[in-house]
Amino acid sequence: MGINSNRVEHCSDHHACHDEHETAVTISSTDVNVMPSLEVHRVCLPPHKTTLEKLMHKLSEAFFPDDPLHKFKNQTWFNKLVLGLQFFFPIFQWAPNYNFRLLRSDFISGLTIASLAIPQGISYAKLANLPPIIGLYSSFVPPLIYSVLGSSRHLAVGPVSIASLVMGTMLNEAVSYTDEPTLYLQLAFTATFFAGLFQASLGLLRLGFIIDFLSKATLVGFMAGAAVIVSLQQLKGLLGIVHFTSKMQIVPVLASVVQHKHEWSWQTIVLGVSFLILLLTTRNISLRKPKLFWISAACPLASVILSTILVVLFKSKLGGVQTIGHLTKGLNPPSSNMLHFRGPFLAIAIKTGIVTGILSLTEGIAVGRTFAALKNYQVDGNKEMMAIGFMNMAGSCSSCYVTTGSFSRSAVNYNAGAQTVVSNVIMAAAVLVTLLFLMPLFYYTPSVILGAIIITAVIGLIDYQAAYKLWKVDKLDFLACLCSFLGVLFVSVPLGLAIAVGVSVFKILLHVTRPNTVVLGNIPGTQIYQNISRYTEALRVPSFLVLAVEAPFYFANATYLQERILRWVREEEERIQANNESKLKCIILDMTAVTAIDTSGIDTICEVRKALENRSLKLVLANPVGSVMEKLHQSNILDSFGLDGLYLTVGEAVADISSSWKP
């Protein structure tokens, strides 16, 4: 076996390298399937950094991965001021270049989404157990604030079904909206304030990663379950039932429908089912032919107008149909004096605010990023959090409840050709005209039409194709989805969400505490080592067991990894004995995928090495990443491994160690 004393060094002189393998070996290609003339390289330590430098780097990577200040580099103070205004107020970015062509597109899309926002606002307020006028107030002030602070060009702001449902459910558990309507309204505004405060704080502190605990699988199940519950709750309006359960579980709702069948009104049923079929038909047409999006967008308002006309014309025959009644004309009244910051119900207001804040934030950012991707521009998640948060805080002081970007309205806005957030301003202007002059026209609007609009809106939240994809791709994700769905249906909306988050966190813990470990084999004629169960051509190297750990080495998984490595060794020895192969001499631990290690992980490596030494087996580490190498060096563990215990690659380890064995 030839020895090559000319060593290739890849470490600069001022950076420390671990002083193993002062010589390189050249072996023939017939020995253990490795390439000839293989040189063994040093394993280097990363560049030296002080503790403060490491801390600053960690904080920068954790909270500023997008490097938001890179635009400010090498700029004059005036340019920095302009960039600062554009950073905090995106309106200064697009307003200087705004022109009539953009206004024409935004005007058309703004009027289009207004035709959808007005009936939806009234309907969603009903879903939150709030007066219908609150839904219109919430479609006026928040869009104006978002147009100044928001970075998405296509997000259409207003009340949404999920946040409305959760707020109505959580608040109604503490206060009855029928017995104490004033207190209920105060708590709704207070919850909205805390939702906005929570959202803005996440953006300011750059803690947006918290909402990532609501995984896609969790949201698919949660929204589907909520859509079913919301739809069943609308049976009260569709059937004309007066006395209906306030509970939000599927069993009490269906039981209430059956128990109060003597209250069913055939006039209400005929009117409601007819318009529900009309709304679903137009929705289906728009889904099949996106260019006809305006049909489904205009249908809710057209249904409100047509149903109101029918009730007025046939008042005597439709006397059993419930109507909205009187709605106050005028602008949003101030509500800062109604915020409830003390008393026994403060806790439920904070809890409701945080839950609805997370849900609305998740939906708003997801919708914004979806349409930004279609138009190839970026939406800053942290700026969106601040925009939505300040929007809700201001809304709570102007008689609004929780609002965010609605997927249905944003889709209509996008398809209508919106170019900037001015479409939200146009929508708000249309709502303003409605508030000032058109409110008396809603007096005879039947309540059943609101139920039909809600069902049409939420039925799109049931994404069975996404659930099927989860089942095909990741069974654990599907389990999270199913738990979320069933939890909402049979337990409650907040607890269903908590169960879903719990399953998602459990999945994370499972991946961390039970990481994947595999046996690697050499692909003949190469220096590539791959999973032998995945690549059939990969061959085991005689006398070697090559293991790969595909996760960080933490206290949470240290014990498991120790037990699993020793089990791999035991199983390999049993396999060798059964097949009468060469005796096992060396275990190589490929640490390429070990991105981090703590003191528990270091202790585990020491214990594994000692356990293997007692069995006359050698443990070798291959390719530790920079941070892992640094901690191994600082712990002095590398001294116990000797001169041939650390290698840059698995191939070099096999070649070097096998060359030292006697033929």
Side-chain angles (χ1 to χ4, degrees), residues 543-546 584-588 617-620 657 661:
S543 301
F544 286 89
L545 173 61
V546 184
L584 182 62
K585 298 180 182 179
C586 181
I587 290 84
I588 300 175
L617 296 172
K618 182 181 182 61
L619 177 64
V620 171
I657 295 171
W661 295 338

Side-chain angles (χ1 to χ4, degrees), residues 48-304:
H48 175 72
K49 289 183 179 180
T50 64
T51 303
L52 181 60
E53 288 175 332
K54 293 177 186 176
L55 178 62
M56 294 300 293
H57 178 73
K58 285 286 186 183
L59 291 176
S60 175
E61 289 298 311
F63 298 106
F64 303 97
D66 54 343
D67 190 14
L69 301 179
H70 72 282
K71 293 182 180 179
F72 293 84
K73 295 176 181 177
N74 302 320
Q75 297 288 340
T76 64
W77 282 106
F78 178 77
N79 287 341
K80 287 181 179 179
L81 177 62
V82 173
L83 290 172
L85 286 173
Q86 293 178 349
F87 182 81
F88 290 105
F89 302 98
I91 189 173
F92 289 105
Q93 194 167 358
W94 56 263
N97 300 318
Y98 199 72
N99 54 45
F100 181 77
R101 182 182 60 82
L102 296 175
L103 177 61
R104 183 177 58 186
S105 299
D106 290 335
F107 185 80
I108 295 172
S109 56
L111 290 181
T112 306
I113 57 175
S115 67
L116 183 62
I118 292 170
Q120 278 192 351
I122 296 173
S123 304
Y124 291 157
K126 175 175 174 285
L127 191 60
N129 302 319
L130 294 169
I133 191 68
I134 301 297
L136 290 180
Y137 290 157
S138 303
S139 300
F140 173 54
V141 172
L144 293 176
I145 297 174
Y146 182 82
S147 64
V148 176
L149 301 175
S151 59
S152 172
R153 303 172 196 167
H154 301 95
L155 200 67
V157 173
V160 293
S161 57
I162 295 298
S164 302
L165 168 68
V166 172
M167 174 172 281
T169 304
M170 295 183 70
L171 292 182
N172 195 53
E173 291 176 353
V175 177
S176 172
Y177 66 94
T178 54
D179 298 337
E180 299 178 275
T182 303
L183 177 59
Y184 186 91
L185 194 58
Q186 290 176 341
L187 293 180
F189 293 151
T190 307
T192 301
F193 176 83
F194 282 113
L197 182 63
F198 178 72
Q199 293 166 334
S201 299
L202 289 183
L204 287 169
L205 300 176
R206 304 186 71 85
L207 297 175
F209 59 85
I210 290 177
I211 66 172
D212 292 337
F213 281 98
L214 282 177
S215 65
K216 175 70 181 297
T218 298
L219 289 174
V220 167
F222 175 78
M223 290 193 293
V228 172
I229 288 295
V230 169
S231 300
L232 291 177
Q233 272 284 340
Q234 303 317 305
L235 291 176
K236 173 187 177 181
L238 287 175
L239 300 177
I241 299 174
V242 178
H243 303 91
F244 200 74
T245 180
S246 60
K247 296 181 178 179
M248 298 297 290
Q249 296 86 21
I250 187 171
V251 175
V253 170
L254 292 177
S256 184
V257 170
V258 176
Q259 290 170 2
H260 298 96
K261 60 183 179 181
H262 59 279
E263 297 182 4
W264 293 9
S265 168
W266 68 268
Q267 299 101 322
T268 304
I269 294 174
V270 171
L271 189 66
V273 171
S274 300
F275 279 100
L276 179 60
I277 292 173
L278 174 64
L279 288 163
L280 291 175
T281 302
T282 56
R283 177 182 179 274
N284 191 48
I285 290 173
S286 296
L287 287 176
R288 290 177 178 273
K289 297 183 178 180
K291 290 185 178 180
L292 299 178
F293 69 91
W294 54 270
I295 296 178
S296 62
C299 193
L301 185 59
S303 300
V304 168

Side-chain angles (χ1 to χ4, degrees), residues 533-604:
S533 62
R534 180 181 172 194
Y535 293 87
T536 55
E537 66 270 29
L539 303 177
R540 295 175 184 267
V541 182
S543 301
F544 286 89
L545 173 61
V546 184
L547 298 175
V549 178
E550 300 177 342
F553 241 118
Y554 282 135
F555 66 93
N557 59 25
T559 302
Y560 168 80
L561 286 174
Q562 179 180 354
E563 295 172 350
R564 194 67 187 89
I565 291 171
L566 294 177
R567 177 183 162 190
W568 278 120
V569 173
R570 186 187 73 245
E571 291 175 347
E572 180 68 7
E573 289 178 330
E574 292 173 353
R575 187 195 66 81
I576 289 174
Q577 186 176 5
N579 296 320
N580 197 23
E581 295 180 3
S582 302
K583 181 182 177 182
L584 182 62
K585 298 180 182 179
C586 181
I587 290 84
I588 300 175
L589 195 60
D590 185 0
M591 303 184 70
T592 303
V594 180
T595 55
I597 194 169
D598 64 2
T599 53
S600 298
I602 293 172
D603 291 341
T604 297

